[in-house]
Amino acid sequence: GFPLTLIANDLAEELRLQNSASDQAAHPVKPIDELTMLPQGPGAPPISLSPSAMCGQHEEEPLKLYCRTCGRGICRDCALLDHRSHDYVFLADMARELVAKVQASIETSNQVEATMS
């Protein structure tokens, strides 16, 4: 499957396990399987979460990269032609970075909650 989908499923499950029942009622976490599109930066079309997410500009090219400069998924052709001087990484690497940031935020939140108890 699509690596971002797998990582997002794991993250959603971790969040479900860490939230109490009352927290889930107030702010439910949906499984990624229930979503069909992932929003991107302002003005950019959302990324399809299907395993075959293809570039809207180069229809035969899969989205493999994430342009940090533009805040959107891009294919290798886009990277070479339109995003040459931009800061981009593989989507899977970006997903790992985001998971790490969310996990750090959860840990910080848990520490703050522990000090308030």
Side-chain angles (χ1 to χ4, degrees):
F2 194 58
L4 183 59
T5 303
L6 297 175
I7 292 169
N9 274 332
D10 289 345
L11 179 58
E13 182 60 24
E14 179 70 22
L15 289 171
R16 267 195 299 277
L17 293 173
Q18 291 188 13
N19 286 337
S20 69
S22 62
D23 290 341
Q24 287 182 22
H27 184 78
V29 178
K30 288 187 176 183
I32 198 76
D33 297 341
E34 292 179 15
L35 304 174
T36 57
M37 303 297 275
L38 181 66
Q40 296 194 83
I47 298 174
S48 167
L49 290 177
S50 70
S52 59
M54 304 303 275
C55 179
Q57 200 170 359
H58 307 101
E59 284 125 21
E60 295 181 13
E61 294 294 321
L63 295 174
K64 297 257 184 192
L65 304 164
Y66 180 83
C67 179
R68 289 182 171 150
T69 305
C70 298
R72 61 185 291 187
I74 60 174
C75 72
R76 291 181 187 205
D77 286 354
C78 285
L80 292 172
L81 300 171
D82 301 324
H83 301 260
R84 186 178 305 202
S85 63
H86 294 190
D87 179 20
Y88 54 87
V89 294
F90 283 103
L91 276 173
D93 293 339
M94 185 64 188
R96 278 190 284 278
E97 284 180 32
L98 292 173
V99 167
K101 286 180 182 179
V102 169
Q103 287 174 334
S105 293
I106 290 169
E107 288 174 23
T108 301
S109 175
N110 288 341
Q111 290 171 356
V112 168
E113 185 178 339
T115 61
M116 297 176 81
S117 303

